[in-house]
Amino acid sequence: MKMFLCFVFAVCVGAAQPRVTFVSNSADGLGWIAFGGLATMYGSGLSSSTASARAVPLPKVLGGVELLICAGVMFPDRPCPAAPLLYVSPDQINFQIPVDAPAFDANMYLRQNGTTSGPFRLSTIYNSAPTVFRMGYDCSIDPRFPDGGSPCGLNAAAKERRAPLRGAITDQAGSVVTSLKPARVGQYYSMWLTGVGRYATNGQPTSRISITLSDVPAYGYPNSTFTTAEISYIGPSSYPGLDQINFRIPLTIMGRTDVPYPPLHPCGDYRLELSIEVAAQGLNVIRDAPRLPVEIRRGDVLCAQ
């Protein structure tokens, strides 16, 4: 779990008037924020000091900084929810989107030791925009790729253009799935993400969430096959804004398992790179989807002798 919190509390390398350049979710930095999700504000002059939250519930004032999210312009008689804060620094603020924040026409106001700055425009807040946290880049285990088949583990940056991006996906022992420890069909795994959105009283998200696994086309193999993962749990984790999905990799990624049609794959061992995409009702998050290394061993699925 410490590795996930490193993403949550990540510090960007960087007292003038505050300037906001960009706000995105904290998982992939590409946008799409949701109610209750973790977000990151980038800019300058955002704080006169650096401070991190030490405990939960998260504070709404941290290092003398308070972040208010208003519907339009701030007025004394108009409530503006204060965002729970994880981390503040002169060039970055990590925070949680309040569940009662305005969905449209939202502006942010920054208070530093009693002085208010803003408004700063905030993009649309979605009911749900699930995005898995990034862990780094890895080697492909799929031997169909010219550069595949040699596991190497996680790297902070891609060594070459086609290096697979790995997401925060762990096995039941808590180990991150990489080329050194690929996933297995029929087994359960946990995905760590943010932006699942508001939860109903029974703990389930108000938007329908699905996970699609697709075979990444390799050179000479232009077609993809698509399979829906079997979700056993969707809900908040023990840390605010960090969501968890438990899912099972279905045996059907290698075809049907009950009848010999469509034609079965030849018996043997396989190593695949699967694109893993999380979608919410009304919003399909496909940007630079992480890839999941999956190993299929002889006997895991029905095969042709």
Side-chain angles (χ1 to χ4, degrees):
M1 187 59 64
K2 289 182 179 179
M3 193 170 295
F4 302 135
L5 297 185
C6 288
F7 277 85
V8 174
F9 290 101
V11 179
C12 281
V13 179
Q17 179 71 17
R19 183 174 67 93
V20 176
T21 57
F22 187 64
V23 177
S24 71
N25 69 69
S26 298
D28 67 4
L30 297 178
W32 301 118
I33 58 177
F35 294 104
L38 298 174
T40 300
M41 171 192 292
Y42 301 97
S44 61
L46 304 179
S47 173
S48 59
S49 62
T50 298
S52 297
R54 300 293 183 182
V56 293
L58 296 174
K60 295 184 178 179
V61 179
L62 182 63
V65 173
E66 185 178 12
L67 182 61
L68 304 174
I69 301 179
C70 303
V73 181
M74 175 188 288
F75 288 103
D77 59 346
R78 181 176 297 181
C80 296
L85 302 175
L86 294 81
Y87 171 85
V88 298
S89 74
D91 53 11
Q92 178 177 332
I93 296 178
N94 291 356
F95 63 100
Q96 185 181 13
I97 300 291
V99 294
D100 55 347
F104 303 102
D105 192 29
N107 285 321
M108 298 177 296
Y109 291 85
L110 193 65
R111 280 183 181 162
Q112 300 185 60
N113 301 313
T115 301
T116 302
S117 303
F120 304 109
R121 190 80 179 102
L122 185 63
S123 60
T124 300
I125 304 175
Y126 291 91
N127 285 329
S128 185
T131 310
V132 64
F133 279 88
R134 296 183 173 196
M135 299 301 291
Y137 294 88
D138 194 4
C139 299
S140 172
I141 66 169
D142 193 331
R144 295 178 301 171
F145 289 89
D147 53 350
S150 299
C152 66
L154 290 173
N155 298 287
K159 292 184 177 180
E160 49 86 22
R161 184 170 59 87
R162 298 183 182 89
L165 172 68
R166 302 297 186 209
I169 298 172
T170 60
D171 62 19
Q172 295 306 290
S175 299
V176 178
V177 176
T178 69
S179 63
L180 296 174
K181 195 176 180 66
R184 297 286 302 279
V185 294
Q187 301 299 310
Y188 285 89
Y189 295 88
S190 296
M191 173 188 295
W192 306 91
L193 67 166
T194 194
V196 164
R198 295 188 177 105
Y199 287 96
T201 54
N202 62 356
Q204 292 297 310
T206 55
S207 296
R208 183 177 178 274
I209 306 293
S210 63
I211 297 176
T212 300
L213 302 171
S214 61
D215 188 8
V216 178
Y219 304 106
Y221 298 83
N223 298 320
S224 292
T225 57
F226 297 88
T227 306
T228 301
E230 304 166 12
I231 296 177
S232 60
Y233 171 81
I234 303 178
S237 72
S238 59
Y239 197 86
L242 180 63
D243 300 310
Q244 177 179 349
I245 299 180
N246 295 343
F247 66 98
R248 180 176 181 264
I249 300 177
L251 301 177
T252 50
I253 63 172
M254 292 294 287
R256 294 186 62 181
T257 59
D258 52 347
V259 295
Y261 185 82
L264 297 174
H265 289 263
C267 293
D269 296 334
Y270 292 87
R271 287 175 168 245
L272 304 177
E273 289 284 344
L274 301 182
S275 175
I276 183 164
E277 299 170 358
V278 187
Q281 188 175 17
L283 181 64
N284 196 11
V285 181
I286 306 180
R287 314 169 316 277
D288 198 11
R291 278 161 52 178
L292 185 69
V294 177
E295 183 178 49
I296 302 169
R297 298 176 186 172
R298 184 185 295 267
D300 285 347
V301 296
L302 287 180
C303 58
Q305 299 293 338

